Structures are given as C-alpha cells and as structure tokens.
Amino acid sequence: MQYQSTILTHPSLARDQAITFFRTQRTREYREQLGPVTPRGASSTSTLRTIAWNALGNRIAAVSSPIHGTHILRIWNPERADSRYSTELKGHTGMIDCVAWDPTFSDRLVSCSAADGTVRLWDARLNRTLQIFRSGTVGIEPVFVRFTPDGRWLVMSGQRGRKLLVLDAVTLQVAGAGLFTDSRPQDGEITRAVVTFSGDVLAIGYGTGVVKLHSFDPSTGEIGKDPLISLNAHRTSITCLEFDPCGRYMALGSNDSLVSIWDVQELVCVRTFAKYAQAVKCISISFDGAYIAISVEGVEPIEIVHVESGDYVYSVPRSTAFHVPALEWHPTKYWLAYAGDPGGLKIVGTPDDRR
C-alpha cells in the first residue's frame, strides 16, 4: 500500500530532546461553565466527551456532556482561551457521540448522535448546518464517523452492530454501494473503521480484537465484500485505530490494555506498549509519526511514547479526578489537546509558545 506523506511545518523532535521539550511546555485551559461550580472552581457537570482539530490546526471542536438538555458542539480558537471567542453549533437533540473535520476543507466538519439518529454536516465559518442525514432509514444508530482522506466520503458505524455506511460528504446521500454488512458474526461488533491515507484500503476493528483490511474504491465509495487480510491483533475489543500520518504504521488500542504498532507494508506487529493494566481509551499519533499519546481507563496520566524506540518520554501532569475520554495531537505541531480534567479542554504546548 502506498501512502501520502504529511507536509511538516514544525521541526521533528529527536528522541534525546523529547523529555526536556515536553517538560517545559505550558498547559492552557479552555474553560466554560456549563453547570454548578464546585469548591475547586470547576463545573461539576461540564465534561468533554470528544475533541478534534481541523486540518490547519486553527480550530478545535469539543463536545460536552449535555447540560439541562442542551447538546452543543463548541468550536474553539486555540489562540483564545476565553469562551467568548468560541462559537456554538446547535442542532442535535441528543447526546453527540463523535465529531470529525474534513481533511481537505478546514471549515467543514461532521458530527453524529445515536440518541437523535442523525449525522450533521456543518460549516464552522457560517455557524450553520449544511446537511442532515437521518439514520433511521438504514437502521443504524451512528456513534462513529470519519472523513476519507480526500474529503469525498464519510464512513459511519453504529452501536451494537456489524454494519458500515458510506455517505457522500457533500450531500450526505448514501453511496451507490449502499450498506456494508460483515458476513462473519463471530468476529463481533464493528468498533472502528478508518480509511488509510492512500484512500484505497479500509481498516475495520472488531469487538473480538480482530482487524480486517478491505479494499475501498475512492471513486464510488464501495467497500470490498471480502477482506484483503484479517489480523488477530488483540485478545479483546479494538477501542482505537489510527494511522501514522507519514504512512509507516497502524496503531491499535484495545480493552486488553495493550497498544500495538503494525508495519503497514509487512502487516506485522513491530512493537507493543503495556504500561498499565487498564483498557486503552484513546491514542493519537503526532504529525510526524514520531510520538504516540496514550490514555487508559481510570485516572492514570497521559503517556507520550517515542514510537521507534518504544521509550516512554513524558507523563502529562493532570488532575486525577476523571479519566481522559479524548486526546489528539495538533496536525502540524507538538500541541496535545485532551479532555477529562475539570474545567474542560486543555492543550499542552500553548499557542503562544513559538519554539
């Protein structure tokens, strides 16, 4: 499989410089008060569930748990930590499960909600909904959605199911190929589905720890019926599936507490990380593919690991009040955004740090 490479705008950080670099980074908090304020000064009910950077890194979307029936998708300017400089996208009537940006258009993003059964396409610049897809027509409760690398298609999966749906990313019409249903129920439910940077292979993670690679036609949105290869990657459910932006690795996280790194050319596991015994909640690979951030269930710190050497180079200091449900590296810099601490969104490596 051939892959596109990310255009790097920030110097890649060498392993021997990483500890000092990350230790000296400041953490900026982007706070909004959505619920009663506790004695510690944080909202007791404002909990971020998912976050996502846009392609330019000049906006970051954050979804909070619903407060008093309000379901808000907030867009932050990372240069301004005050919520007065953020914008709200309103329209969902149920809890928002996932948000993702178009990799080819920095103002367009998508969100989905199993509770209200919709997928919404947004224009962040105009602060409005562009299209709505109502998933009840296909019998999927959408919990995960992701753009293809060319921005042409959306791949959507539902909760408690073995189905995938491909939508046109402009009209939200179902692709000509329609619904994809896995033919092997013994592999469990689909938990993640991501198209590789080459645009012609779809990786699907399952509840049994299996990962399958299927052909994907970028001109029609069709998913190949039979897998190109099936990997018995983990012992339990795949919780995270990401590709190295430089096209070298596939990273998997699982409920078995392991993160595995796979060579995408040879399709062999080249490294595993297993510092904690808890299930892996989320992972993110840096823009240059050099570092991976890992968070697990519970109150353990976020770990930053050097991919090539396998060395743990830094533990992000944070509150131990909540686990981290979401984290993501900036698309071109060593800024790591995460959710989970009281107060809301935080970014390690603040925008006013120009090193």
Side-chain angles (χ1 to χ4, degrees):
M1 295 181 289
Q2 297 299 312
Y3 290 79
Q4 302 173 8
S5 294
T6 299
I7 298 175
L8 307 184
T9 61
H10 190 286
S12 190
L13 181 66
R15 159 66 186 85
D16 58 359
Q17 300 172 327
I19 295 176
T20 300
F21 178 87
F22 289 117
R23 184 183 295 152
T24 57
Q25 300 307 291
R26 296 170 53 196
T27 299
R28 176 175 285 191
E29 182 177 287
Y30 298 73
R31 176 178 298 214
E32 57 177 318
Q33 300 293 347
L34 297 181
V37 177
T38 69
R40 297 177 60 184
S43 168
S44 61
T45 53
S46 172
T47 304
L48 292 184
R49 304 183 66 249
T50 183
I51 59 176
W53 289 98
N54 73 347
L56 295 179
N58 62 352
R59 290 192 179 100
I60 185 166
V63 174
S64 297
S65 296
I67 304 299
H68 307 306
T70 302
H71 305 271
I72 295 174
L73 174 56
R74 185 175 296 277
I75 310 298
W76 291 90
N77 175 355
E79 302 284 348
R80 301 291 188 109
D82 194 315
S83 62
R84 291 177 299 173
Y85 299 101
S86 68
T87 58
E88 295 179 352
L89 302 181
K90 297 181 180 180
H92 280 289
T93 59
M95 185 167 62
I96 303 169
D97 292 286
C98 188
V99 60
W101 291 88
D102 184 340
T104 65
F105 184 35
S106 60
D107 294 317
R108 189 169 65 164
L109 69 160
V110 67
S111 60
C112 69
S113 167
D116 67 21
T118 66
V119 177
R120 287 178 175 263
L121 190 67
W122 307 86
D123 188 316
R125 180 181 51 188
L126 300 179
N127 192 21
R128 68 182 180 91
T129 300
L130 298 174
Q131 299 287 350
I132 302 175
F133 175 77
R134 303 190 185 282
S135 64
T137 58
V138 294
I140 292 181
E141 299 172 306
V143 295
F144 183 79
V145 64
R146 187 75 66 88
F147 281 92
T148 56
D150 60 4
R152 183 171 180 178
W153 306 102
L154 293 167
V155 178
M156 182 187 82
S157 64
Q159 61 183 358
R160 299 183 300 274
R162 296 182 295 106
K163 299 178 180 179
L164 292 175
L165 189 66
V166 180
L167 302 175
D168 184 288
V170 175
T171 65
L172 293 193
Q173 297 296 309
V174 177
L179 196 66
F180 169 85
T181 302
D182 189 274
S183 60
R184 288 174 54 87
Q186 61 267 39
D187 291 328
E189 301 171 356
I190 292 175
T191 59
R192 287 291 183 270
V194 179
V195 174
T196 61
F197 284 94
S198 64
D200 60 359
V201 175
L202 174 71
I204 306 175
Y206 288 83
T208 56
V210 169
V211 173
K212 298 179 185 179
L213 302 183
H214 287 255
S215 63
F216 182 84
D217 188 335
S219 63
T220 65
E222 182 175 3
I223 302 170
K225 180 180 178 180
D226 298 317
L228 302 172
I229 191 169
S230 182
L231 306 171
N232 293 314
H234 285 265
R235 298 190 302 272
T236 58
S237 180
I238 301 296
T239 57
C240 319
L241 195 164
E242 299 289 341
F243 284 93
D244 161 23
C246 297
R248 295 168 295 184
Y249 302 117
M250 175 176 67
L252 306 173
S254 171
N255 278 339
D256 63 10
S257 79
L258 297 176
V259 172
S260 60
I261 306 294
W262 296 72
D263 182 293
V264 297
Q265 299 297 330
E266 303 296 331
L267 292 177
V268 295
C269 181
V270 296
R271 194 161 292 107
T272 58
F273 306 120
K275 186 172 183 178
Y276 299 115
Q278 296 91 332
V280 177
K281 291 293 294 183
C282 46
I283 59 177
S284 181
I285 306 174
S286 62
F287 67 95
D288 55 356
Y291 297 90
I292 184 169
I294 303 170
S295 75
V296 298
E297 187 72 60
V299 296
E300 303 293 349
I302 298 167
E303 295 291 347
I304 296 176
V305 187
H306 186 246
V307 174
E308 286 293 334
S309 67
D311 293 339
Y312 288 75
V313 298
Y314 188 64
S315 297
V316 177
R318 49 177 296 270
S319 166
T320 58
F322 304 98
H323 73 269
V324 175
L327 57 81
E328 187 169 316
W329 288 103
H330 186 280
T332 61
K333 299 179 175 68
Y334 290 119
W335 298 348
L336 180 64
Y338 70 92
D341 279 352
L345 174 68
K346 290 187 177 180
I347 301 178
V348 181
T350 54
D352 58 352
D353 187 341
R354 301 299 181 182
R355 287 174 296 177

